[in-house]
Amino acid sequence: MRHVTIMGVPFLHISQQGFVDLLVNRIEQQEKTFVVTANPEVVMQANENPTVKGYLNQATYICADGIGVVKAAQILGDSLPERVTGYDTMVKLLEVGQQKHFKVYLLGAQKETIEKTIANIHKDYPNVEVVGYHDGFFDWNTNHIADDIAALQPDLVFVALGVPRQEKWITENLDKFSKGVFIGVGGSFDVIAGTVKRAPVIWQKLNLEWLYRLLRQPSRFIRMLVLPRFALKVFSLKLRGQGGAK
């Protein structure tokens, strides 16, 4: 499959719907799949931390979760079709799961948030079977979460532990599973639970969802400082003639 590599991170060249179709096919073929949804912050972490880069190297697919990644691809000379976000991927997979009766496991977030997430999934997608869940607060070395998931054999495992913990968890446990799509979805549980509002559609269409989130959560400001560093790195690569498709 075609990829666009940005700072050593190979992004799948695919549309949002095409990506969902790809994952649904892998579920139906019972092919184990590890998905990383990477924004500029993830790309910078992978460049500055070999451990994080190692997690990404284990991924089956890396998709462009962020307009910054899409713009970087354009600047480096090979465009990506569009953003392919973790939240939209999760929702669209639940929509398909409503038709195909997918089994789902959820891992991450606070206990109250994950319980609200499950309640809303039951309400909006009653044919999706939530076979199990665990909040994001557990002893990393003394838990049986992976064993429980292996026994339950869900079609989809949504992991909302934040970057890079969700990628670390999937990487360290992937060998225990024989099937299923494992995808890190960041703060998506909060949106589905209704504890955090997603940007209105007009903000999304203007590619200003990041600004909306910053205005709603000023505590994100320090994290946002990675964006100018990412942009400078991209322009530096452009000047050196690096980047492009594979």
Side-chain angles (χ1 to χ4, degrees):
M1 300 186 73
R2 186 182 175 198
H3 294 81
V4 175
T5 300
I6 301 172
M7 299 185 205
V9 178
F11 287 92
L12 191 62
H13 187 280
I14 199 166
S15 67
Q16 177 70 75
Q17 187 57 53
F19 190 55
V20 171
D21 293 343
L22 173 64
L23 295 182
V24 170
N25 181 66
R26 291 185 68 88
I27 290 171
E28 293 177 335
Q29 298 299 317
Q30 297 193 0
E31 295 179 285
K32 185 167 57 176
T33 307
F34 171 18
V35 175
V36 172
T37 57
N39 59 17
E41 183 181 1
V42 176
V43 175
M44 292 301 288
Q45 285 192 30
N47 271 256
E48 296 169 356
N49 186 330
T51 301
V52 175
K53 185 63 165 64
Y55 301 151
L56 270 60
N57 288 342
Q58 298 302 311
T60 313
Y61 305 119
I62 302 174
C63 61
D65 188 346
I67 191 60
V69 172
V70 175
K71 294 297 184 183
Q74 292 175 344
I75 291 167
L76 294 174
D78 191 67
S79 298
L80 288 161
E82 61 180 335
R83 290 193 310 158
V84 180
T85 72
Y87 173 80
D88 289 321
T89 301
M90 179 176 179
V91 169
K92 289 180 180 296
L93 286 171
L94 288 171
E95 291 171 356
V96 177
Q98 169 69 7
Q99 303 167 15
K100 296 181 177 288
H101 297 261
F102 285 162
K103 295 192 296 183
V104 174
Y105 189 99
L106 279 70
L107 173 62
Q110 297 182 8
K111 186 173 187 293
E112 181 180 2
T113 299
I114 197 170
E115 289 175 348
K116 287 181 179 178
T117 301
I118 292 167
N120 285 339
I121 289 174
H122 284 157
K123 175 171 66 73
D124 296 333
Y125 314 101
N127 291 334
V128 172
E129 183 183 358
V130 179
V131 295
Y133 71 94
H134 199 290
D135 62 48
F137 299 88
F138 54 88
D139 187 311
W140 200 273
N141 298 311
T142 58
N143 68 82
H144 303 287
I145 296 171
D147 294 333
D148 292 343
I149 294 172
L152 292 165
Q153 293 196 321
D155 301 299
L156 288 158
V157 180
F158 296 114
V159 185
L161 297 173
V163 177
R165 290 182 75 239
Q166 58 198 23
E167 288 74 25
K168 171 181 168 66
W169 189 90
I170 296 173
T171 298
E172 291 181 353
N173 292 285
L174 198 61
D175 287 345
K176 298 178 182 178
F177 313 118
S178 60
K179 53 172 272 189
V181 169
F182 296 77
I183 176 170
V185 294
S188 297
F189 291 2
D190 295 282
V191 180
I192 293 175
T195 56
V196 172
K197 283 186 63 178
R198 195 179 186 193
V201 174
I202 185 62
W203 288 71
Q204 296 177 43
K205 289 183 176 179
L206 292 171
N207 296 321
L208 292 174
E209 190 168 6
W210 63 271
L211 179 59
Y212 179 87
R213 294 175 68 187
L214 178 59
L215 294 173
R216 299 274 299 186
Q217 298 174 286
S219 60
R220 297 176 60 87
F221 176 75
I222 298 299
R223 288 179 56 186
M224 289 293 184
L225 293 177
V226 74
L227 295 178
R229 291 198 296 114
F230 175 78
L232 286 172
K233 181 74 171 176
V234 168
F235 282 112
S236 174
L237 291 172
K238 175 68 173 178
L239 290 173
R240 298 203 300 268
Q242 299 181 20
K246 288 188 177 180

